[in-house]
Amino acid sequence: MSLVIYNTLTRQKEVFKPLEEGKVKMYVCGPTVYNYIHIGNARPAIVFDTIRRYLEYRGYDVNFISNFTDVDDKLIRTAKELGTDVPTVAERFINSYHEDVCALGVQEADYHPRVTETMPEIIDFISKLVEKGYGYEAKGDVYFKTRAFDGYGKLSHQSIDDLRSGARIEVGDIKKDPLDFALWKSAKEGEISWESPWGKGRPGWHIECSAMAKKYLGDSIDIHGGGQDLTFPHHENEIAQSEALNEAPMAKYWMHNGYININNEKMSKSLGNFVLVHDMIKEFDPQVIRFFMMAVHYRNPINFSNELLQSAEVSLNRIRTAYGNLKHRLEVSADLASDAEQWNEKIEQFKQSFITEMDDDFNTANAIAVLFDMAREANVYLQSENTSTAVLAKFIGLFEELAGVLGLTLTEEKELLDEDIEALIEERNNARRECNFARADEIRDQLRDLNIVLEDTPQGVRWKRQ
């Protein structure tokens, strides 16, 4: 099978063929850094990190760019509230973003461009749009002539005559058409600003990504990604700006992840159900949050609740337990099995099934189901008294390989017991060998009080933190 991707532009799955064989240019819209990121921001970070990982797993050289919007109305407002300046606010929450997504297993982008670092390119981009007749100045602002671009609405599949101005498009008297959107905003008194041919000001929201994608990836890229809410107007406007200037398709494949609901309600500040990742990772294992996100296909909506996260933790632990049992058996096992070839073939089939599912528009939900199937078969294999060290190692290696593609770790963070607890476990083992079961039970209870749960298995005693 070939890798297929659902393209928002065509509304169908298409066989993935990069612009340059073996290489992928990928741009994903990043956050506006005026606060800690919420769970909705975390989803595209996890989704497109996983997509990047899988493309690299399949042998592609991926150039992955994700931006920071570090100047914006919200940053200006936050800076005033905190009694500081915009760069200080941006730096604080960029650092927080890196900490939060790193905890979620998200790899660093090849580069994180910032708006404030790309100002010359943004101003040049706007100037050329004006020169080509796609932009016009009005009292220090510059607007894009939406109706001048043939094909506006092709990403959101809307007729231009039926479109309404979307989020962050301010309708004002100085615009020639209500659908025209800001490329440059004149500075208000006391606001952060930059010099330009149209006076002091700052960029509109949409032009930022067009300029940064062009600077770091070129006129045309392979994949442009982001949340579903960015389809219109942000990505629609990016297409209009970029293709008007470059006279080439901005992106070959447009990918969008679905929304997140909180307890069956749409997440919003007005409903008070805003969940910050900064707070979540203090309560839940970040790997459980990542697993929870990937247990649903990236284009489908997710309903988020603490109960569902707890269920995801149980599911992830099923896989972790199978992996841990395999490692434990390998440490104590002699190579006695005679059916290694048959099991090795079966394990290889799991790998092919995983690839088949991920090749189908990065279906992580079905890929995780393959891991569950593999865990079940591993448990069956472990019931045998005679096991092959080669088969055990192959199971372990494939678990690590496929989990790595999904950005998952299969060992719990708090894995090591301190010397005192190790000594108690050894004392309990000795007590059982001497038939001193009262003392053995006493030690078990003592460890339980320390939140250490013991598991007596055919391979020996295992433990985990409760």
Side-chain angles (χ1 to χ4, degrees):
M1 285 184 63
S2 299
L3 171 62
V4 296
I5 296 177
Y6 182 86
N7 191 348
T8 306
L9 187 66
T10 60
R11 290 192 174 179
Q12 62 183 12
K13 291 180 182 179
E14 301 176 7
V15 174
F16 180 63
K17 294 181 180 179
L19 298 171
E20 183 179 350
E21 186 175 354
K23 296 185 178 182
V24 178
K25 294 186 288 185
M26 188 172 175
Y27 185 95
V28 176
C29 291
T32 301
V33 285
Y34 70 100
N35 200 345
Y36 298 111
I37 61 168
H38 53 69
I39 192 67
N41 302 131
R43 191 176 190 191
I46 291 171
V47 163
F48 291 102
D49 174 70
T50 306
I51 289 170
R52 172 197 188 180
R53 286 172 181 268
Y54 185 68
L55 289 169
E56 290 175 341
Y57 177 70
R58 296 289 270 142
Y60 291 101
D61 178 12
V62 181
N63 189 359
F64 184 88
I65 304 295
S66 183
N67 73 297
F68 289 123
T69 296
D70 62 341
V71 60
D72 162 276
D73 291 338
K74 292 178 179 178
L75 278 116
I76 292 171
R77 186 164 57 248
T78 299
K80 288 180 179 178
E81 291 171 355
L82 297 177
T84 186
D85 56 24
V86 168
T88 299
V89 171
E91 194 65 28
R92 172 185 172 183
F93 290 114
I94 285 173
N95 290 336
S96 297
Y97 172 86
H98 284 305
E99 291 174 4
D100 290 345
V101 300
C102 180
L104 296 171
V106 175
Q107 295 177 322
E108 281 279 346
D110 290 302
Y111 192 65
H112 285 285
R114 306 185 187 191
V115 177
T116 55
E117 298 173 343
T118 321
M119 208 58 65
E121 291 81 5
I122 292 172
I123 292 171
D124 181 65
F125 200 117
I126 297 170
S127 297
K128 289 177 179 176
L129 284 174
V130 172
E131 290 173 10
K132 294 188 72 171
Y134 286 102
Y136 62 91
E137 181 186 0
K139 297 182 180 180
D141 294 343
V142 182
Y143 293 95
F144 185 87
K145 294 180 182 178
T146 301
R147 293 182 188 272
F149 178 71
D150 186 26
Y152 189 83
K154 62 183 177 181
L155 181 66
S156 54
H157 300 272
Q158 302 178 79
S159 164
I160 194 168
D161 294 322
D162 298 331
L163 285 169
R164 296 179 179 179
S165 297
R168 301 199 191 192
I169 300 179
E170 299 176 2
V171 178
D173 294 334
I174 61 174
K175 293 200 292 187
K176 295 179 180 180
D177 188 304
L179 283 178
D180 294 348
F181 56 89
L183 299 171
W184 186 261
K185 297 180 179 181
S186 59
K188 298 177 183 177
E189 186 67 30
E191 284 187 350
I192 186 172
S193 61
W194 287 261
E195 293 288 351
S196 79
W198 319 284
K200 288 187 175 182
R202 56 191 170 86
W205 179 36
H206 315 297
I207 194 66
E208 302 167 3
C209 288
S210 285
M212 287 187 272
K214 179 180 175 69
K215 178 178 180 179
Y216 293 99
L217 296 174
D219 292 352
S220 293
I221 67 176
D222 295 291
I223 297 173
H224 196 313
Q228 185 179 338
D229 58 311
L230 298 183
T231 307
F232 181 86
H234 186 51
H235 288 167
E236 193 74 71
N237 291 349
E238 279 190 61
I239 288 176
Q241 297 161 159
S242 295
E243 297 187 4
L245 178 62
N246 301 324
E247 299 181 4
M250 183 181 185
K252 191 172 182 181
Y253 304 92
W254 288 84
M255 301 182 67
H256 297 90
N257 63 269
Y259 292 108
I260 289 185
N261 296 321
I262 308 293
N263 294 318
N264 295 307
E265 290 185 306
K266 184 177 180 181
M267 184 176 67
S268 71
K269 287 183 177 178
S270 61
L271 293 174
N273 61 358
F274 228 61
V275 181
L276 298 178
V277 174
H278 191 73
D279 297 326
M280 284 181 60
I281 59 178
K282 296 175 183 177
E283 184 178 356
F284 292 96
D285 178 354
Q287 282 279 296
V288 172
I289 299 171
R290 184 180 182 107
F291 180 87
F292 169 79
M293 294 281 191
M294 290 188 295
V296 177
H297 190 281
Y298 77 88
R299 286 191 286 114
N300 293 337
I302 289 180
N303 184 46
F304 173 88
S305 70
N306 285 357
E307 292 75 19
L308 290 172
L309 262 186
Q310 290 164 359
S311 177
E313 184 174 25
V314 172
S315 296
L316 177 57
N317 283 340
R318 283 173 54 196
I319 298 172
R320 283 175 164 174
T321 298
Y323 171 77
N325 287 339
L326 287 164
K327 293 197 74 174
H328 185 71
R329 174 67 75 88
L330 183 60
E331 292 172 358
V332 301
S333 176
D335 196 355
L336 301 173
S338 59
D339 57 352
E341 184 175 347
Q342 174 186 344
W343 276 97
N344 284 335
E345 290 177 0
K346 184 177 290 189
I347 295 169
E348 186 63 28
Q349 288 172 4
F350 286 123
K351 179 177 180 177
Q352 295 308 314
S353 295
F354 180 93
I355 291 172
T356 296
E357 299 299 348
M358 289 295 286
D359 273 356
D360 184 12
D361 193 30
F362 309 100
N363 195 331
T364 55
N366 286 356
I368 286 173
V370 173
L371 292 183
F372 282 129
D373 290 342
M374 193 162 71
R376 185 178 62 251
E377 286 299 313
N379 290 333
V380 169
Y381 186 68
L382 288 168
Q383 296 303 311
S384 172
E385 292 183 3
N386 299 328
T387 54
S388 162
T389 54
V391 172
L392 293 170
K394 191 172 182 67
F395 260 124
I396 291 166
L398 188 58
F399 266 122
E400 292 173 345
E401 178 180 324
L402 302 185
V405 173
L406 300 177
L408 296 173
T409 57
L410 297 179
T411 53
E412 298 180 61
E413 288 184 6
K414 298 180 180 179
E415 186 178 18
L416 298 178
L417 293 168
D418 61 33
E419 292 180 359
D420 292 336
I421 297 176
E422 291 279 11
L424 284 170
I425 291 175
E426 182 59 29
E427 183 183 349
R428 178 176 178 268
N429 290 339
N430 291 334
R432 295 180 73 189
R433 282 193 289 268
E434 296 168 0
C435 297
N436 188 354
F437 297 111
R439 177 55 181 157
D441 290 343
E442 182 179 303
I443 293 172
R444 174 185 279 276
D445 293 341
Q446 184 179 352
L447 289 171
R448 184 187 60 204
D449 291 340
L450 294 171
N451 294 320
I452 303 298
V453 178
L454 302 185
E455 298 178 10
D456 294 318
T457 74
Q459 293 79 44
V461 178
R462 301 191 66 239
W463 62 271
K464 65 180 179 180
R465 291 189 181 270
Q466 193 171 37

